[in-house]
Amino acid sequence: MSKREVFLEAACREKVEDFLRFIALHKNKAEPFDVKEVVEEMPREQREALWGRLESLLREILLELPPDRWEEEAMQQEAAPDPKHVRAVVDGVALVAAVSLKVLQDGNSYSALLDIGHRLHDVLVSLPESEASLQLHLQELFEAWWKMGLLGREKFGRTAFLISLQKSFILKKPGAEIQRLWSLHNVLTVLDYTSEDNKQIIDLLLQCFHRPTHIRSDDGKRFLVFLFSWNVDFIRVIHGSIKNQLEFYPRSMTTHIAEIYFRAWKKASGDFLETIESSCIQDFMQNAIFLLRTSPVHCKVRQIVSYFHSRKGCHRVDKMLYNLYRPILWKSLSVPNFEVRANATLLFTEAFPVHDPDLSNTNVERDITKQLETAMGLLDDPHPTVRSNATLGVCKILAKCWELLPPAVITDLLKKLVVELAADSSSSDVRCAVFKSLSIVLDNPLSHPLLEKLLPTLKYSLHDTSERVRTAFLDLLIKVKAVRAAKFWDVCSMDHLLARLAIDSHSASKRIVGLLFKSFFPVNEPEREWCCRCIILIQMNPMAARKFYQFAHEHTAATNIIKLMLAIRRSLNSCIQVNHDLTDINDSNKENSTQEGPVLPEMAVVSSLLEVVVILWRSVEKALKQNKEAHKYTVTKFGNVMAKYFQAFEDQRSTVPLIQLASFMPPTAVPSFSRGVLSRLRRMDPEAAPAQFSQLLDCICSWGQEADILELVSDWLGKSTPKQGDKAAKSRAVRIQEPVEAKPDLALAYLEYLFSHSFTREKVLALDGVRLKQLLTLLGNWKSVLCDLLRSSTEDPNGPEVETALKAFEYHGRLSAHLQHNSTEGRDYLLSLEHVAEWVGDKVLPFLAKRRSDDDGGGERSEKSQQLARRITESFLTVCRDVVLVGLGDETFKSQILYLCSLILISEAGYTCIPAVLALLKEVANSSVPDDDIQDQESHEDSSTVILGGVANIFQKIIELLASRLRKEPEEGQLLCQSAVPGLSDFLQVVQTWGAALLSGVYSTVFAVLIVEKRHLLQKLTQTEEVFIPQSVDEMPPLSSVLLSVILKSPSVTRSFLAEVSSSLASGDLSSLTELAAVLHVLAVIKQTGKSIGGIKSAAVSVQQHLEQHAVSALDSSEVQRVIYESSVKTLNELLHL
């Protein structure tokens, strides 16, 4: 029996195992059996019999176990049909069916094969997701069925298309599936777009326009372009879907979207072409014109329209742009709205010339002439945004069409830009646009001869008041230099460039250095020439030279920077006429011979050269440390001559860079200098300025000797405190070799510098904890000095000893904060600050009371003590504010500090500390608002609510104190209120982040004070002439004036305040005529700002409901009450009609 007959006999239920064996042999590449060969060799009758037997086998096997039960049966007993067996049979039948399609010839009957296809189709649509392999085989079978155009192709093709579409969204690498999708795209031609059955496919097709993998791949683009030709109505749906998602497309994907639109338009015809042009392209054009520039989709729409502009030059594209722009573009250039004009200007100049290609040349030239006149008119537009856009557009036109435009027109346009708009005093944006846009014109070499004549007129733009304009002008000079359109020094002289470099900002200076770098650092010339150019630059402008070499490392390698440093060293050596050591004599570059720099007698130049060396070394310090050999060589070279430099260059200006230079080297490289640094610091005058010791401290820290300076500081501070002076002197007498008086002021100055700079601070804080704790203790001991001063009757509260003690007290707090920040666990140093808070409350606050004494001078002593107590308190509050500001204060610390604030405010003269208390309250409030990402949110909110409640209570006390001082001492109260304004502004701004209940508590306090103060004033009126409606905050009572001025600074604060006004009125707390009049006076003042109109109207409506109740009673009241009522009604009407 032949293989054909055996295979045919195996295609039945009884011999299904034999059938599966044949399929396995086919899949095994090592076996010679091939199902395709067997089916090809079968005669037609035998082939039809095979299909019939396979159809029966498939029917019977699926009756036993349908596909929707495969996953269920896999979990059942062994007696149930095996899903794997059924799956293998289905896969085998699909394989034979796929092979049969390849050998099927025209005229062959394939009804049995069609039945197999229908059964396999039913399997495919109900196949579980886990059967990916079988799904792929069936999908490929129906794809081949569709392509052969057999019966049932619509049904099978639709299913294959739908599955391929779904898989293209699911797979991580859908490239092959998108390719298959494109191969099946003609399936859509047989589908009814209006049918509900195809709604799923339509939704999936729209999703393709949101998938980067579909949009970016070539096959995906072909498929998406084809979708524009499926149905005219579908085009509008596609366009709407893309517009909805356009905001979220990245710029690169928007370019692909624009390409898809263009290709779809290019292939379209008839109704499809008309729909794409009118519903898509022209819609984008209109949106590009009418959308606000702040719209998130405006730039994306512009990008799509620009893609069509970039395809100009083709007859069909030019015609389309002309037809679509004609009804919308020209009138948009003259509308009143400047944003529309500005947008239309960009489109017009980008699409220039917008002409009908079917017209004659004469007519085209006439249209272009009119458009050039329009462009010239746009340069004179009254709004600067339009002028800026017109400037950019005109320059693009010149760059693109230079050789096509008349010379007279070109000259007129450029003169308009260079002479008029570059000096537009009304807008820096226009001036900036001129220089940015002229760079575009320079891209056309034909423009260079004319621009070479015109650009020198712009030279003073280098000194423009706007930094943006200066940087744009410098960018233009760099472009001029790059394209060699002209010599940049002919446009702007070197003196002007250097003068600007010396004083300009970082961004402008970088550009000037880039422009001048090759002139003053010619890397292709010998090193001696580099040094000569450096000297020339210093002689021309020393400050510019320092700036130049700050940025030099960005334009050349670190090796060249080091070579320049060594070249400068040779020049300095020649200046002091020192014979070089043996190392120098043996150098291959023979420094003593031909490479020596010129002798430089001017000490100013020498000092500048030393400064340049320091700047250069600092710029390559990191690179030097990475290259140990280069670092060692450089240090050796400079170390050999540093002693001579210190001897020869003794002036102050030279000493500073020499000390900085020494700090770059190890102390062994400069032994004579390093040995004397600590002694110089010890002998320093107590009143020395920071400039005299700052660099010495840098040296000490860079050499790792920060422990020595800390010991010196501790020694001075220990000797100066009364209680420990003798003991400290005895214990440290062995360590200090020379008797030197204690200098606590200088010690504190050293500490100020060490902790104010990150480099020195990190070095000091890296020391062992014992030294730092000892320093902290010594600083804390100065509290006893402050106690003595508070009780003293002779010390001036502003005297030198007082200042020293206050500084020590302040640095104690600052050092505690630094140590707490460096502490890995615990809150020991916060606890130390809490103890200080207790000390302030127990020892200092009693002196804030205004005591009077019968003794002579008792009042004066009390006043002095009170001033000192105030300064101590404010100093400590400032430290606490900083601790909270940097996030070191925990809930316990904040609670303690708030308690101290309450004690301060209840002191008799505690009101003097209100500005400092407000600053602290602001930081506590800001740090106590719960964050969304805190895990234990509920407990944190509870603790925060307690803290913020305490803050609100203290704020209420502050407002009460301000009101009290204004009543008792009006002049003093006014000064106090003015000093509190910054703190009040910051505090109310932070309060905006609070919850509604706490926020209402704060604003109810403010509102109550305003109403009470104004009501009191209205109740005191006795004459009708005294009744008036305030028009500004200055016409309000003193405290109300201050609070309103603070509220009106911020729109958000104003809105919150007005919300509280409405809430208070709604609660019925305000009902008397004078109270309602006071509310209206407040609203009248807010109205003058022109802001928060909605909030004002809402509050006015609430007032109206209450004021109507006084209509009758006002007639029977006094004349003053009647006038107050009438003026209130008038004001209310004005507010309601805003």
Side-chain angles (χ1 to χ4, degrees), residues 88-106:
V89 173
V90 173
D91 194 28
V93 173
L95 172 63
V96 176
V99 170
S100 300
L101 287 180
K102 296 178 181 178
V103 301
L104 195 63
Q105 298 177 358
D106 293 339

Side-chain angles (χ1 to χ4, degrees), residues 442-487:
L442 285 169
D443 290 330
N444 191 326
L446 297 176
S447 67
H448 296 177
L450 180 57
L451 286 175
E452 187 176 7
K453 298 176 182 177
L454 294 175
L455 288 178
T457 60
L458 300 172
K459 59 183 178 181
Y460 294 116
S461 297
L462 180 65
H463 304 290
D464 196 283
T465 55
S466 169
E467 181 183 351
R468 290 176 57 248
V469 177
R470 296 197 301 272
T471 54
F473 177 71
L474 289 168
D475 287 334
L476 176 63
L477 289 183
I478 293 171
K479 186 66 175 283
V480 168
K481 179 183 177 183
V483 300
R484 299 183 178 181
K487 295 180 176 62

Side-chain angles (χ1 to χ4, degrees), residues 90 147 230 290 496 580 592 643 788 832 897 964 1014 1077 1111 1130:
V90 173
K147 290 180 179 178
W230 179 29
F290 297 115
H496 282 265
H580 297 297
N592 286 326
D788 295 339
S832 171
I897 299 308
S964 173
K1014 189 63 181 177
K1130 180 180 178 182

Side-chain angles (χ1 to χ4, degrees), residues 52-65:
R53 292 171 69 88
L54 287 176
E55 193 275 334
S56 299
L57 171 62
L58 186 61
R59 182 180 66 252
E60 293 174 7
I61 201 76
L62 291 176
L63 282 174
E64 294 181 7
L65 189 65

